[in-house]
mmCIF file with all atom_site columns, all heavy atoms in Angstrom:
data_model
loop_
_atom_site.group_PDB
_atom_site.id
_atom_site.type_symbol
_atom_site.label_atom_id
_atom_site.label_alt_id
_atom_site.label_comp_id
_atom_site.label_asym_id
_atom_site.label_entity_id
_atom_site.label_seq_id
_atom_site.pdbx_PDB_ins_code
_atom_site.Cartn_x
_atom_site.Cartn_y
_atom_site.Cartn_z
_atom_site.occupancy
_atom_site.B_iso_or_equiv
_atom_site.pdbx_formal_charge
_atom_site.auth_seq_id
_atom_site.auth_comp_id
_atom_site.auth_asym_id
_atom_site.auth_atom_id
_atom_site.pdbx_PDB_model_num
ATOM 1  N N   . VAL A 1 16  ? -8.537  -26.018 40.616  1.00 0.00 ? 16  VAL A N   1
ATOM 2  C CA  . VAL A 1 16  ? -7.596  -26.429 39.569  1.00 0.00 ? 16  VAL A CA  1
ATOM 3  C C   . VAL A 1 16  ? -7.681  -27.922 39.322  1.00 0.00 ? 16  VAL A C   1
ATOM 4  O O   . VAL A 1 16  ? -7.691  -28.392 38.180  1.00 0.00 ? 16  VAL A O   1
ATOM 5  C CB  . VAL A 1 16  ? -6.155  -26.013 39.953  1.00 0.00 ? 16  VAL A CB  1
ATOM 6  C CG1 . VAL A 1 16  ? -5.146  -26.615 38.980  1.00 0.00 ? 16  VAL A CG1 1
ATOM 7  C CG2 . VAL A 1 16  ? -6.022  -24.500 39.977  1.00 0.00 ? 16  VAL A CG2 1
ATOM 8  N N   . ALA A 1 22  ? -11.950 -32.478 34.804  1.00 0.00 ? 22  ALA A N   1
ATOM 9  C CA  . ALA A 1 22  ? -12.963 -32.245 33.762  1.00 0.00 ? 22  ALA A CA  1
ATOM 10 C C   . ALA A 1 22  ? -12.340 -32.322 32.376  1.00 0.00 ? 22  ALA A C   1
ATOM 11 O O   . ALA A 1 22  ? -12.921 -32.877 31.436  1.00 0.00 ? 22  ALA A O   1
ATOM 12 C CB  . ALA A 1 22  ? -13.620 -30.883 33.974  1.00 0.00 ? 22  ALA A CB  1
ATOM 13 N N   . ALA A 1 130 ? -15.873 -21.781 -13.723 1.00 0.00 ? 130 ALA A N   1
ATOM 14 C CA  . ALA A 1 130 ? -14.874 -22.214 -12.754 1.00 0.00 ? 130 ALA A CA  1
ATOM 15 C C   . ALA A 1 130 ? -15.539 -22.935 -11.585 1.00 0.00 ? 130 ALA A C   1
ATOM 16 O O   . ALA A 1 130 ? -16.694 -22.657 -11.236 1.00 0.00 ? 130 ALA A O   1
ATOM 17 C CB  . ALA A 1 130 ? -14.077 -21.009 -12.249 1.00 0.00 ? 130 ALA A CB  1
ATOM 18 N N   . GLY A 1 252 ? 15.838  -20.019 -5.330  1.00 0.00 ? 252 GLY A N   1
ATOM 19 C CA  . GLY A 1 252 ? 15.058  -20.753 -6.308  1.00 0.00 ? 252 GLY A CA  1
ATOM 20 C C   . GLY A 1 252 ? 15.917  -21.389 -7.378  1.00 0.00 ? 252 GLY A C   1
ATOM 21 O O   . GLY A 1 252 ? 16.983  -20.869 -7.730  1.00 0.00 ? 252 GLY A O   1
ATOM 22 N N   . THR A 1 253 ? 15.452  -22.517 -7.873  1.00 0.00 ? 253 THR A N   1
ATOM 23 C CA  . THR A 1 253 ? 16.092  -23.198 -8.995  1.00 0.00 ? 253 THR A CA  1
ATOM 24 C C   . THR A 1 253 ? 15.083  -23.290 -10.119 1.00 0.00 ? 253 THR A C   1
ATOM 25 O O   . THR A 1 253 ? 13.986  -23.843 -9.938  1.00 0.00 ? 253 THR A O   1
ATOM 26 C CB  . THR A 1 253 ? 16.559  -24.610 -8.591  1.00 0.00 ? 253 THR A CB  1
ATOM 27 O OG1 . THR A 1 253 ? 17.465  -24.508 -7.489  1.00 0.00 ? 253 THR A OG1 1
ATOM 28 C CG2 . THR A 1 253 ? 17.268  -25.299 -9.745  1.00 0.00 ? 253 THR A CG2 1
ATOM 29 N N   . GLU A 1 281 ? 4.833   -1.693  -3.148  1.00 0.00 ? 281 GLU A N   1
ATOM 30 C CA  . GLU A 1 281 ? 6.202   -1.173  -3.153  1.00 0.00 ? 281 GLU A CA  1
ATOM 31 C C   . GLU A 1 281 ? 7.176   -2.291  -2.828  1.00 0.00 ? 281 GLU A C   1
ATOM 32 O O   . GLU A 1 281 ? 6.977   -3.047  -1.873  1.00 0.00 ? 281 GLU A O   1
ATOM 33 C CB  . GLU A 1 281 ? 6.362   -0.042  -2.128  1.00 0.00 ? 281 GLU A CB  1
ATOM 34 C CG  . GLU A 1 281 ? 5.654   1.240   -2.506  1.00 0.00 ? 281 GLU A CG  1
ATOM 35 C CD  . GLU A 1 281 ? 6.031   2.387   -1.570  1.00 0.00 ? 281 GLU A CD  1
ATOM 36 O OE1 . GLU A 1 281 ? 7.011   2.224   -0.820  1.00 0.00 ? 281 GLU A OE1 1
ATOM 37 O OE2 . GLU A 1 281 ? 5.342   3.418   -1.597  1.00 0.00 ? 281 GLU A OE2 1
ATOM 38 N N   . LYS A 1 288 ? 20.210  -12.177 -7.521  1.00 0.00 ? 288 LYS A N   1
ATOM 39 C CA  . LYS A 1 288 ? 21.590  -12.594 -7.771  1.00 0.00 ? 288 LYS A CA  1
ATOM 40 C C   . LYS A 1 288 ? 21.630  -13.955 -8.455  1.00 0.00 ? 288 LYS A C   1
ATOM 41 O O   . LYS A 1 288 ? 20.905  -14.871 -8.078  1.00 0.00 ? 288 LYS A O   1
ATOM 42 C CB  . LYS A 1 288 ? 22.371  -12.658 -6.452  1.00 0.00 ? 288 LYS A CB  1
ATOM 43 C CG  . LYS A 1 288 ? 23.847  -12.919 -6.612  1.00 0.00 ? 288 LYS A CG  1
ATOM 44 C CD  . LYS A 1 288 ? 24.566  -12.819 -5.268  1.00 0.00 ? 288 LYS A CD  1
ATOM 45 C CE  . LYS A 1 288 ? 26.065  -13.025 -5.434  1.00 0.00 ? 288 LYS A CE  1
ATOM 46 N NZ  . LYS A 1 288 ? 26.788  -12.932 -4.140  1.00 0.00 ? 288 LYS A NZ  1
ATOM 47 N N   . LEU A 1 300 ? 4.292   0.425   -7.636  1.00 0.00 ? 300 LEU A N   1
ATOM 48 C CA  . LEU A 1 300 ? 3.164   0.225   -8.548  1.00 0.00 ? 300 LEU A CA  1
ATOM 49 C C   . LEU A 1 300 ? 1.925   0.835   -7.916  1.00 0.00 ? 300 LEU A C   1
ATOM 50 O O   . LEU A 1 300 ? 1.596   0.555   -6.762  1.00 0.00 ? 300 LEU A O   1
ATOM 51 C CB  . LEU A 1 300 ? 2.943   -1.271  -8.801  1.00 0.00 ? 300 LEU A CB  1
ATOM 52 C CG  . LEU A 1 300 ? 1.837   -1.651  -9.784  1.00 0.00 ? 300 LEU A CG  1
ATOM 53 C CD1 . LEU A 1 300 ? 2.226   -1.240  -11.196 1.00 0.00 ? 300 LEU A CD1 1
ATOM 54 C CD2 . LEU A 1 300 ? 1.571   -3.156  -9.744  1.00 0.00 ? 300 LEU A CD2 1
ATOM 55 N N   . ALA A 1 308 ? 3.849   2.461   -12.977 1.00 0.00 ? 308 ALA A N   1
ATOM 56 C CA  . ALA A 1 308 ? 5.029   1.864   -12.353 1.00 0.00 ? 308 ALA A CA  1
ATOM 57 C C   . ALA A 1 308 ? 6.213   2.816   -12.419 1.00 0.00 ? 308 ALA A C   1
ATOM 58 O O   . ALA A 1 308 ? 6.380   3.581   -13.370 1.00 0.00 ? 308 ALA A O   1
ATOM 59 C CB  . ALA A 1 308 ? 5.374   0.545   -13.044 1.00 0.00 ? 308 ALA A CB  1
ATOM 60 N N   . PRO A 1 315 ? 25.762  -3.790  -10.332 1.00 0.00 ? 315 PRO A N   1
ATOM 61 C CA  . PRO A 1 315 ? 27.174  -3.606  -9.997  1.00 0.00 ? 315 PRO A CA  1
ATOM 62 C C   . PRO A 1 315 ? 28.076  -4.302  -11.021 1.00 0.00 ? 315 PRO A C   1
ATOM 63 O O   . PRO A 1 315 ? 27.643  -5.199  -11.753 1.00 0.00 ? 315 PRO A O   1
ATOM 64 C CB  . PRO A 1 315 ? 27.302  -4.255  -8.613  1.00 0.00 ? 315 PRO A CB  1
ATOM 65 C CG  . PRO A 1 315 ? 25.905  -4.278  -8.068  1.00 0.00 ? 315 PRO A CG  1
ATOM 66 C CD  . PRO A 1 315 ? 25.018  -4.452  -9.254  1.00 0.00 ? 315 PRO A CD  1
#
Side-chain angles (χ1 to χ4, degrees):
V16 172
T253 302
E281 289 189 13
K288 187 174 182 180
L300 183 69

